[in-house]
């Protein structure tokens, strides 16, 4: 049993966390989940109370109403993503809750098809990716209607912008005054060339009628040409490597906004 009186969250003593969960009703749903986010996952940070709340989030994810399941899985995904970003501090907590984390990832996967037309579909998808450990995509994936990612060319180290969506599917060098210059078209991956994660995401997006996402995924998991050195490189591993080293998933101004409430 968790002794909540010994824990603190971002607003003070954590003994109000089980009270918030116990008092969750349709009438106070939005306010309660907003309060839980503010206490347990704030400004990219988590705390020991965040991980102590994972069993309570698991209970809601298994037996709560559909809107509450959405919110529980989204919050759990955020907590786990932040904890995995700072593994040295939270590795033991992640290991202690590994079974529940894996279970919530499975629930999120099964839950997606029922939310294909909800505004927060992408948030739920990214929560699933966070719970599974695919952190770069959990932080950066959106519906790919207007996406810019920053990568380092693995050949020459140049900073390359990857654009997918309404502004074109290309690699480029981002100039402060002139925008994206020296554009080179991306080569989308064919079905048989997709990585296991890329193929799975494309299958999910196609199943759920996510047209923009399904159109853009072959580009994200395809090949770009580096404008300075002209060498081709695989986009996905270059992006994952950059996030792992630099910690910033998106170019400024393009960060996906997580769903914080319920419908």
């Amino acid at each position: 049993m968790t002794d909540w009186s010994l824990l603190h969250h971002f607003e003070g003593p954590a003994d109000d966390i089980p009270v918030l969960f116990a008092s969750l009703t349709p009438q106070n749903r939005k306010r309660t989940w907003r309060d839980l986010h503010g206490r347990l996952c704030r400004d990219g940070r988590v705390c020991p109370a965040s991980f102590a709340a994972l069993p309570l989030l698991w209970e809601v994810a298994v037996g709560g109403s559909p809107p509450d399941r959405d919110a529980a899985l989204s919050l759990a995904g955020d907590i786990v993503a932040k904890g995995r970003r700072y593994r040295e501090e939270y590795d033991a907590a992640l290991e202690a809750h590994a079974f529940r984390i894996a279970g919530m990832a499975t629930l999120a996967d099964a839950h997606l098809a029922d939310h294909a037309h909800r505004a927060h579909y992408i948030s739920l998808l990214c929560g699933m990716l966070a719970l599974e450990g695919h952190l770069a995509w959990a932080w950066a994936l959106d519906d790919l209607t207007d996406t810019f990612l920053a990568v380092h060319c693995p050949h020459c180290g140049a900073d390359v912008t990857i654009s997918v969506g309404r502004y074109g599917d290309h690699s480029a060098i981002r100039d402060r005054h002139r925008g994206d210059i020296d554009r080179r078209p991306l080569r989308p991956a064919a079905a048989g060339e997709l990585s296991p994660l890329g193929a799975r995401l494309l299958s999910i997006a196609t199943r759920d009628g996510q047209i923009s996402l399904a159109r853009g995924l072959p580009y994200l998991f395809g090949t770009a040409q580096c404008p300075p050195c002209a060498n081709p490189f695989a986009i996905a591993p270059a992006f994952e490597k950059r996030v792992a080293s630099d910690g910033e998933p998106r170019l400024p101004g393009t960060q996906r906004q997580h769903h914080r409430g319920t419908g």
Side-chain angles (χ1 to χ4, degrees):
M1 287 289 292
T2 299
D3 187 347
W4 290 97
S5 65
L6 300 178
L7 297 174
H8 283 71
H9 50 57
F10 294 113
E11 295 188 2
D15 49 6
D16 61 343
I17 295 299
V19 176
L20 285 169
F21 276 98
S23 63
L24 184 62
T25 67
Q27 290 72 34
N28 67 12
R29 175 179 292 131
K30 289 185 178 181
R31 183 180 69 254
T32 299
W33 286 112
R34 184 173 61 248
D35 290 345
L36 286 168
H37 272 282
R39 286 160 169 75
L40 300 175
C41 191
R42 175 183 288 184
D43 299 329
R45 296 176 298 145
V46 287
C47 57
S50 309
F51 298 93
L54 287 175
L56 299 176
L57 291 168
W58 164 254
E59 291 178 7
V60 177
V62 170
S65 66
D68 290 327
R69 289 202 299 268
D70 292 352
L73 291 167
S74 178
L75 178 52
D78 281 354
I79 291 170
V80 171
K82 303 305 186 297
R84 283 177 168 150
R85 187 172 182 177
Y86 303 102
R87 290 196 68 95
E88 297 82 2
E89 186 173 357
Y90 296 115
D91 193 55
L94 289 165
E95 183 62 29
H97 297 289
F99 175 79
R100 292 185 182 91
I101 291 170
M104 283 190 281
T106 300
L107 287 173
D109 192 359
H111 208 38
L112 279 171
D114 296 331
H115 291 71
H117 303 295
R118 301 285 186 90
H120 53 275
Y121 175 91
I122 295 296
S123 180
L124 185 59
L125 174 62
C126 290
M128 180 195 78
L129 292 171
L131 291 164
E132 291 180 348
H134 301 296
L135 299 191
W137 303 108
W139 291 334
L141 191 66
D142 57 23
D143 65 0
L144 305 184
T145 57
D146 177 10
T147 294
F148 295 91
L149 303 179
V151 302
H152 301 308
C153 172
H155 303 288
C156 71
D159 293 325
V160 179
T161 295
I162 303 297
S163 171
V164 175
R166 70 182 65 179
Y167 296 105
D169 308 305
H170 59 258
S171 59
I173 298 300
R174 177 149 291 188
D175 182 271
R176 179 178 299 179
H177 304 291
R178 294 185 291 165
D180 289 350
I181 60 174
D182 198 4
R183 300 184 182 191
R184 309 292 177 93
L186 304 180
R187 187 182 76 81
E193 298 173 332
L194 287 166
S195 68
L197 177 60
R200 178 168 170 243
L201 287 173
L202 181 58
S203 175
I204 289 172
T206 302
R207 178 198 69 192
D208 296 343
Q210 299 292 313
I211 297 172
S212 295
L213 183 61
R215 191 207 74 86
L217 284 166
Y219 288 99
L220 281 191
F221 286 87
T223 303
Q225 185 182 39
C226 174
C229 73
N231 283 306
F233 62 89
I235 296 168
F239 174 63
E240 292 168 355
K241 182 177 181 180
R242 195 194 76 82
V243 173
S245 62
D246 295 356
E248 291 296 331
R250 301 292 294 277
L251 291 173
T254 62
Q255 178 64 44
R256 177 182 62 87
Q257 295 298 312
H258 281 274
H259 171 68
R260 293 298 184 210
T262 57

PDB file of all heavy atoms in Angstrom, residues 81-109:
ATOM      1  N   ALA A  81       6.571   8.569 -20.350  1.00  0.00           N
ATOM      2  CA  ALA A  81       7.493   9.212 -21.292  1.00  0.00           C
ATOM      3  C   ALA A  81       8.507  10.075 -20.566  1.00  0.00           C
ATOM      4  O   ALA A  81       9.711  10.034 -20.858  1.00  0.00           O
ATOM      5  CB  ALA A  81       6.711  10.041 -22.306  1.00  0.00           C
ATOM      6  N   LYS A  82       8.032  10.876 -19.603  1.00  0.00           N
ATOM      7  CA  LYS A  82       8.956  11.736 -18.860  1.00  0.00           C
ATOM      8  C   LYS A  82       9.893  10.904 -17.996  1.00  0.00           C
ATOM      9  O   LYS A  82      11.081  11.215 -17.877  1.00  0.00           O
ATOM     10  CB  LYS A  82       8.183  12.722 -17.979  1.00  0.00           C
ATOM     11  CG  LYS A  82       7.189  13.619 -18.712  1.00  0.00           C
ATOM     12  CD  LYS A  82       7.822  14.386 -19.842  1.00  0.00           C
ATOM     13  CE  LYS A  82       6.830  15.380 -20.458  1.00  0.00           C
ATOM     14  NZ  LYS A  82       5.663  14.715 -21.078  1.00  0.00           N
ATOM     15  N   GLY A  83       9.366   9.833 -17.402  1.00  0.00           N
ATOM     16  CA  GLY A  83      10.224   8.980 -16.589  1.00  0.00           C
ATOM     17  C   GLY A  83      11.296   8.299 -17.404  1.00  0.00           C
ATOM     18  O   GLY A  83      12.452   8.167 -16.965  1.00  0.00           O
ATOM     19  N   ARG A  84      10.960   7.873 -18.618  1.00  0.00           N
ATOM     20  CA  ARG A  84      11.956   7.217 -19.470  1.00  0.00           C
ATOM     21  C   ARG A  84      12.970   8.205 -20.012  1.00  0.00           C
ATOM     22  O   ARG A  84      14.086   7.840 -20.361  1.00  0.00           O
ATOM     23  CB  ARG A  84      11.249   6.483 -20.610  1.00  0.00           C
ATOM     24  CG  ARG A  84      10.635   5.169 -20.146  1.00  0.00           C
ATOM     25  CD  ARG A  84       9.881   4.455 -21.227  1.00  0.00           C
ATOM     26  NE  ARG A  84       9.571   3.095 -20.801  1.00  0.00           N
ATOM     27  CZ  ARG A  84       8.510   2.405 -21.188  1.00  0.00           C
ATOM     28  NH1 ARG A  84       7.647   2.951 -22.035  1.00  0.00           N
ATOM     29  NH2 ARG A  84       8.302   1.179 -20.769  1.00  0.00           N
ATOM     30  N   ARG A  85      12.604   9.462 -20.073  1.00  0.00           N
ATOM     31  CA  ARG A  85      13.560  10.482 -20.507  1.00  0.00           C
ATOM     32  C   ARG A  85      14.640  10.697 -19.446  1.00  0.00           C
ATOM     33  O   ARG A  85      15.771  11.056 -19.762  1.00  0.00           O
ATOM     34  CB  ARG A  85      12.825  11.795 -20.786  1.00  0.00           C
ATOM     35  CG  ARG A  85      13.699  12.868 -21.394  1.00  0.00           C
ATOM     36  CD  ARG A  85      12.869  14.054 -21.827  1.00  0.00           C
ATOM     37  NE  ARG A  85      13.670  15.070 -22.456  1.00  0.00           N
ATOM     38  CZ  ARG A  85      13.182  16.190 -22.972  1.00  0.00           C
ATOM     39  NH1 ARG A  85      11.885  16.427 -22.936  1.00  0.00           N
ATOM     40  NH2 ARG A  85      13.979  17.071 -23.530  1.00  0.00           N
ATOM     41  N   TYR A  86      14.277  10.509 -18.183  1.00  0.00           N
ATOM     42  CA  TYR A  86      15.232  10.683 -17.086  1.00  0.00           C
ATOM     43  C   TYR A  86      15.384   9.353 -16.340  1.00  0.00           C
ATOM     44  O   TYR A  86      15.088   9.247 -15.155  1.00  0.00           O
ATOM     45  CB  TYR A  86      14.745  11.785 -16.145  1.00  0.00           C
ATOM     46  CG  TYR A  86      14.530  13.107 -16.842  1.00  0.00           C
ATOM     47  CD1 TYR A  86      13.256  13.535 -17.174  1.00  0.00           C
ATOM     48  CD2 TYR A  86      15.607  13.910 -17.200  1.00  0.00           C
ATOM     49  CE1 TYR A  86      13.052  14.741 -17.838  1.00  0.00           C
ATOM     50  CE2 TYR A  86      15.417  15.111 -17.860  1.00  0.00           C
ATOM     51  CZ  TYR A  86      14.144  15.524 -18.174  1.00  0.00           C
ATOM     52  OH  TYR A  86      13.945  16.702 -18.831  1.00  0.00           O
ATOM     53  N   ARG A  87      15.878   8.363 -17.040  1.00  0.00           N
ATOM     54  CA  ARG A  87      15.893   6.998 -16.522  1.00  0.00           C
ATOM     55  C   ARG A  87      16.733   6.862 -15.262  1.00  0.00           C
ATOM     56  O   ARG A  87      16.422   6.042 -14.396  1.00  0.00           O
ATOM     57  CB  ARG A  87      16.409   6.032 -17.596  1.00  0.00           C
ATOM     58  CG  ARG A  87      15.463   5.822 -18.749  1.00  0.00           C
ATOM     59  CD  ARG A  87      15.860   4.580 -19.536  1.00  0.00           C
ATOM     60  NE  ARG A  87      15.649   3.390 -18.750  1.00  0.00           N
ATOM     61  CZ  ARG A  87      14.554   2.647 -18.821  1.00  0.00           C
ATOM     62  NH1 ARG A  87      13.576   2.989 -19.614  1.00  0.00           N
ATOM     63  NH2 ARG A  87      14.435   1.560 -18.093  1.00  0.00           N
ATOM     64  N   GLU A  88      17.824   7.619 -15.163  1.00  0.00           N
ATOM     65  CA  GLU A  88      18.699   7.465 -14.005  1.00  0.00           C
ATOM     66  C   GLU A  88      17.929   7.709 -12.705  1.00  0.00           C
ATOM     67  O   GLU A  88      18.159   7.054 -11.696  1.00  0.00           O
ATOM     68  CB  GLU A  88      19.882   8.431 -14.094  1.00  0.00           C
ATOM     69  CG  GLU A  88      20.805   8.203 -15.272  1.00  0.00           C
ATOM     70  CD  GLU A  88      20.285   8.823 -16.566  1.00  0.00           C
ATOM     71  OE1 GLU A  88      19.219   9.467 -16.524  1.00  0.00           O
ATOM     72  OE2 GLU A  88      20.933   8.652 -17.610  1.00  0.00           O
ATOM     73  N   GLU A  89      16.983   8.637 -12.757  1.00  0.00           N
ATOM     74  CA  GLU A  89      16.243   9.002 -11.546  1.00  0.00           C
ATOM     75  C   GLU A  89      15.029   8.109 -11.316  1.00  0.00           C
ATOM     76  O   GLU A  89      14.661   7.842 -10.168  1.00  0.00           O
ATOM     77  CB  GLU A  89      15.794  10.464 -11.650  1.00  0.00           C
ATOM     78  CG  GLU A  89      15.151  11.005 -10.391  1.00  0.00           C
ATOM     79  CD  GLU A  89      14.883  12.496 -10.497  1.00  0.00           C
ATOM     80  OE1 GLU A  89      15.260  13.102 -11.525  1.00  0.00           O
ATOM     81  OE2 GLU A  89      14.287  13.044  -9.551  1.00  0.00           O
ATOM     82  N   TYR A  90      14.425   7.607 -12.409  1.00  0.00           N
ATOM     83  CA  TYR A  90      13.134   6.936 -12.269  1.00  0.00           C
ATOM     84  C   TYR A  90      13.138   5.500 -12.775  1.00  0.00           C
ATOM     85  O   TYR A  90      12.080   4.891 -12.911  1.00  0.00           O
ATOM     86  CB  TYR A  90      12.058   7.731 -13.014  1.00  0.00           C
ATOM     87  CG  TYR A  90      11.827   9.102 -12.426  1.00  0.00           C
ATOM     88  CD1 TYR A  90      12.117  10.250 -13.158  1.00  0.00           C
ATOM     89  CD2 TYR A  90      11.357   9.249 -11.130  1.00  0.00           C
ATOM     90  CE1 TYR A  90      11.916  11.507 -12.622  1.00  0.00           C
ATOM     91  CE2 TYR A  90      11.153  10.511 -10.586  1.00  0.00           C
ATOM     92  CZ  TYR A  90      11.430  11.633 -11.333  1.00  0.00           C
ATOM     93  OH  TYR A  90      11.237  12.878 -10.800  1.00  0.00           O
ATOM     94  N   ASP A  91      14.302   4.946 -13.037  1.00  0.00           N
ATOM     95  CA  ASP A  91      14.367   3.595 -13.590  1.00  0.00           C
ATOM     96  C   ASP A  91      13.724   2.574 -12.657  1.00  0.00           C
ATOM     97  O   ASP A  91      13.002   1.681 -13.095  1.00  0.00           O
ATOM     98  CB  ASP A  91      15.825   3.218 -13.863  1.00  0.00           C
ATOM     99  CG  ASP A  91      15.938   1.977 -14.731  1.00  0.00           C
ATOM    100  OD1 ASP A  91      15.343   1.975 -15.821  1.00  0.00           O
ATOM    101  OD2 ASP A  91      16.604   1.010 -14.315  1.00  0.00           O
ATOM    102  N   ALA A  92      13.966   2.697 -11.362  1.00  0.00           N
ATOM    103  CA  ALA A  92      13.403   1.734 -10.407  1.00  0.00           C
ATOM    104  C   ALA A  92      11.881   1.816 -10.386  1.00  0.00           C
ATOM    105  O   ALA A  92      11.198   0.787 -10.320  1.00  0.00           O
ATOM    106  CB  ALA A  92      13.970   1.989  -9.012  1.00  0.00           C
ATOM    107  N   ALA A  93      11.333   3.024 -10.465  1.00  0.00           N
ATOM    108  CA  ALA A  93       9.879   3.183 -10.467  1.00  0.00           C
ATOM    109  C   ALA A  93       9.274   2.590 -11.731  1.00  0.00           C
ATOM    110  O   ALA A  93       8.220   1.933 -11.688  1.00  0.00           O
ATOM    111  CB  ALA A  93       9.514   4.661 -10.352  1.00  0.00           C
ATOM    112  N   LEU A  94       9.926   2.804 -12.869  1.00  0.00           N
ATOM    113  CA  LEU A  94       9.434   2.218 -14.118  1.00  0.00           C
ATOM    114  C   LEU A  94       9.455   0.701 -14.054  1.00  0.00           C
ATOM    115  O   LEU A  94       8.520   0.033 -14.497  1.00  0.00           O
ATOM    116  CB  LEU A  94      10.291   2.720 -15.285  1.00  0.00           C
ATOM    117  CG  LEU A  94      10.111   4.187 -15.668  1.00  0.00           C
ATOM    118  CD1 LEU A  94      11.250   4.641 -16.573  1.00  0.00           C
ATOM    119  CD2 LEU A  94       8.771   4.397 -16.360  1.00  0.00           C
ATOM    120  N   GLU A  95      10.512   0.149 -13.495  1.00  0.00           N
ATOM    121  CA  GLU A  95      10.613  -1.302 -13.385  1.00  0.00           C
ATOM    122  C   GLU A  95       9.539  -1.850 -12.440  1.00  0.00           C
ATOM    123  O   GLU A  95       8.939  -2.902 -12.710  1.00  0.00           O
ATOM    124  CB  GLU A  95      12.005  -1.685 -12.875  1.00  0.00           C
ATOM    125  CG  GLU A  95      12.248  -3.186 -12.785  1.00  0.00           C
ATOM    126  CD  GLU A  95      12.169  -3.885 -14.131  1.00  0.00           C
ATOM    127  OE1 GLU A  95      12.465  -3.252 -15.153  1.00  0.00           O
ATOM    128  OE2 GLU A  95      11.785  -5.079 -14.150  1.00  0.00           O
ATOM    129  N   ALA A  96       9.278  -1.143 -11.357  1.00  0.00           N
ATOM    130  CA  ALA A  96       8.285  -1.611 -10.390  1.00  0.00           C
ATOM    131  C   ALA A  96       6.886  -1.674 -11.004  1.00  0.00           C
ATOM    132  O   ALA A  96       6.062  -2.495 -10.591  1.00  0.00           O
ATOM    133  CB  ALA A  96       8.281  -0.703  -9.167  1.00  0.00           C
ATOM    134  N   HIS A  97       6.618  -0.818 -11.980  1.00  0.00           N
ATOM    135  CA  HIS A  97       5.291  -0.759 -12.590  1.00  0.00           C
ATOM    136  C   HIS A  97       5.284  -1.300 -14.024  1.00  0.00           C
ATOM    137  O   HIS A  97       4.358  -1.011 -14.786  1.00  0.00           O
ATOM    138  CB  HIS A  97       4.784   0.683 -12.579  1.00  0.00           C
ATOM    139  CG  HIS A  97       4.589   1.246 -11.207  1.00  0.00           C
ATOM    140  ND1 HIS A  97       3.573   0.834 -10.370  1.00  0.00           N
ATOM    141  CD2 HIS A  97       5.291   2.175 -10.509  1.00  0.00           C
ATOM    142  CE1 HIS A  97       3.649   1.488  -9.222  1.00  0.00           C
ATOM    143  NE2 HIS A  97       4.685   2.305  -9.284  1.00  0.00           N
ATOM    144  N   ALA A  98       6.295  -2.087 -14.384  1.00  0.00           N
ATOM    145  CA  ALA A  98       6.431  -2.559 -15.765  1.00  0.00           C
ATOM    146  C   ALA A  98       5.201  -3.338 -16.231  1.00  0.00           C
ATOM    147  O   ALA A  98       4.752  -3.199 -17.377  1.00  0.00           O
ATOM    148  CB  ALA A  98       7.689  -3.421 -15.902  1.00  0.00           C
ATOM    149  N   PHE A  99       4.631  -4.146 -15.348  1.00  0.00           N
ATOM    150  CA  PHE A  99       3.470  -4.952 -15.737  1.00  0.00           C
ATOM    151  C   PHE A  99       2.284  -4.062 -16.075  1.00  0.00           C
ATOM    152  O   PHE A  99       1.604  -4.255 -17.085  1.00  0.00           O
ATOM    153  CB  PHE A  99       3.106  -5.923 -14.609  1.00  0.00           C
ATOM    154  CG  PHE A  99       1.855  -6.708 -14.877  1.00  0.00           C
ATOM    155  CD1 PHE A  99       1.875  -7.811 -15.713  1.00  0.00           C
ATOM    156  CD2 PHE A  99       0.636  -6.339 -14.296  1.00  0.00           C
ATOM    157  CE1 PHE A  99       0.715  -8.535 -15.977  1.00  0.00           C
ATOM    158  CE2 PHE A  99      -0.516  -7.054 -14.556  1.00  0.00           C
ATOM    159  CZ  PHE A  99      -0.473  -8.165 -15.393  1.00  0.00           C
ATOM    160  N   ARG A 100       2.011  -3.074 -15.240  1.00  0.00           N
ATOM    161  CA  ARG A 100       0.886  -2.169 -15.496  1.00  0.00           C
ATOM    162  C   ARG A 100       1.137  -1.310 -16.735  1.00  0.00           C
ATOM    163  O   ARG A 100       0.212  -1.042 -17.504  1.00  0.00           O
ATOM    164  CB  ARG A 100       0.635  -1.293 -14.281  1.00  0.00           C
ATOM    165  CG  ARG A 100       0.118  -2.048 -13.052  1.00  0.00           C
ATOM    166  CD  ARG A 100      -0.215  -1.095 -11.932  1.00  0.00           C
ATOM    167  NE  ARG A 100      -0.675  -1.797 -10.740  1.00  0.00           N
ATOM    168  CZ  ARG A 100       0.129  -2.197  -9.767  1.00  0.00           C
ATOM    169  NH1 ARG A 100       1.439  -1.976  -9.858  1.00  0.00           N
ATOM    170  NH2 ARG A 100      -0.349  -2.828  -8.710  1.00  0.00           N
ATOM    171  N   ILE A 101       2.380  -0.873 -16.915  1.00  0.00           N
ATOM    172  CA  ILE A 101       2.706  -0.061 -18.083  1.00  0.00           C
ATOM    173  C   ILE A 101       2.453  -0.853 -19.365  1.00  0.00           C
ATOM    174  O   ILE A 101       1.843  -0.348 -20.321  1.00  0.00           O
ATOM    175  CB  ILE A 101       4.165   0.425 -18.005  1.00  0.00           C
ATOM    176  CG1 ILE A 101       4.312   1.448 -16.880  1.00  0.00           C
ATOM    177  CG2 ILE A 101       4.611   1.021 -19.335  1.00  0.00           C
ATOM    178  CD1 ILE A 101       5.752   1.807 -16.550  1.00  0.00           C
ATOM    179  N   ALA A 102       2.904  -2.111 -19.390  1.00  0.00           N
ATOM    180  CA  ALA A 102       2.667  -2.954 -20.562  1.00  0.00           C
ATOM    181  C   ALA A 102       1.172  -3.190 -20.763  1.00  0.00           C
ATOM    182  O   ALA A 102       0.677  -3.194 -21.898  1.00  0.00           O
ATOM    183  CB  ALA A 102       3.405  -4.284 -20.404  1.00  0.00           C
ATOM    184  N   GLY A 103       0.462  -3.379 -19.671  1.00  0.00           N
ATOM    185  CA  GLY A 103      -0.981  -3.598 -19.782  1.00  0.00           C
ATOM    186  C   GLY A 103      -1.709  -2.396 -20.326  1.00  0.00           C
ATOM    187  O   GLY A 103      -2.628  -2.509 -21.146  1.00  0.00           O
ATOM    188  N   MET A 104      -1.298  -1.185 -19.901  1.00  0.00           N
ATOM    189  CA  MET A 104      -1.952   0.016 -20.401  1.00  0.00           C
ATOM    190  C   MET A 104      -1.611   0.270 -21.861  1.00  0.00           C
ATOM    191  O   MET A 104      -2.428   0.807 -22.618  1.00  0.00           O
ATOM    192  CB  MET A 104      -1.584   1.214 -19.523  1.00  0.00           C
ATOM    193  CG  MET A 104      -2.356   1.217 -18.200  1.00  0.00           C
ATOM    194  SD  MET A 104      -2.182   2.745 -17.221  1.00  0.00           S
ATOM    195  CE  MET A 104      -0.581   2.454 -16.482  1.00  0.00           C
ATOM    196  N   ALA A 105      -0.405  -0.131 -22.288  1.00  0.00           N
ATOM    197  CA  ALA A 105      -0.069  -0.021 -23.705  1.00  0.00           C
ATOM    198  C   ALA A 105      -0.988  -0.893 -24.546  1.00  0.00           C
ATOM    199  O   ALA A 105      -1.482  -0.483 -25.603  1.00  0.00           O
ATOM    200  CB  ALA A 105       1.392  -0.415 -23.926  1.00  0.00           C
ATOM    201  N   THR A 106      -1.265  -2.098 -24.072  1.00  0.00           N
ATOM    202  CA  THR A 106      -2.171  -2.999 -24.782  1.00  0.00           C
ATOM    203  C   THR A 106      -3.585  -2.432 -24.810  1.00  0.00           C
ATOM    204  O   THR A 106      -4.276  -2.489 -25.835  1.00  0.00           O
ATOM    205  CB  THR A 106      -2.174  -4.387 -24.113  1.00  0.00           C
ATOM    206  OG1 THR A 106      -0.846  -4.920 -24.139  1.00  0.00           O
ATOM    207  CG2 THR A 106      -3.115  -5.337 -24.827  1.00  0.00           C
ATOM    208  N   LEU A 107      -4.023  -1.855 -23.688  1.00  0.00           N
ATOM    209  CA  LEU A 107      -5.352  -1.251 -23.647  1.00  0.00           C
ATOM    210  C   LEU A 107      -5.459  -0.079 -24.615  1.00  0.00           C
ATOM    211  O   LEU A 107      -6.470   0.088 -25.307  1.00  0.00           O
ATOM    212  CB  LEU A 107      -5.656  -0.768 -22.228  1.00  0.00           C
ATOM    213  CG  LEU A 107      -5.950  -1.846 -21.179  1.00  0.00           C
ATOM    214  CD1 LEU A 107      -6.058  -1.209 -19.801  1.00  0.00           C
ATOM    215  CD2 LEU A 107      -7.229  -2.589 -21.517  1.00  0.00           C
ATOM    216  N   ALA A 108      -4.417   0.750 -24.681  1.00  0.00           N
ATOM    217  CA  ALA A 108      -4.438   1.894 -25.592  1.00  0.00           C
ATOM    218  C   ALA A 108      -4.503   1.432 -27.032  1.00  0.00           C
ATOM    219  O   ALA A 108      -5.227   2.003 -27.851  1.00  0.00           O
ATOM    220  CB  ALA A 108      -3.200   2.762 -25.363  1.00  0.00           C
ATOM    221  N   ASP A 109      -3.765   0.384 -27.358  1.00  0.00           N
ATOM    222  CA  ASP A 109      -3.791  -0.159 -28.722  1.00  0.00           C
ATOM    223  C   ASP A 109      -5.193  -0.637 -29.070  1.00  0.00           C
ATOM    224  O   ASP A 109      -5.735  -0.325 -30.133  1.00  0.00           O
ATOM    225  CB  ASP A 109      -2.788  -1.320 -28.810  1.00  0.00           C
ATOM    226  CG  ASP A 109      -2.529  -1.750 -30.238  1.00  0.00           C
ATOM    227  OD1 ASP A 109      -3.143  -1.171 -31.166  1.00  0.00           O
ATOM    228  OD2 ASP A 109      -1.715  -2.660 -30.446  1.00  0.00           O
TER     229      ASP A 109
END
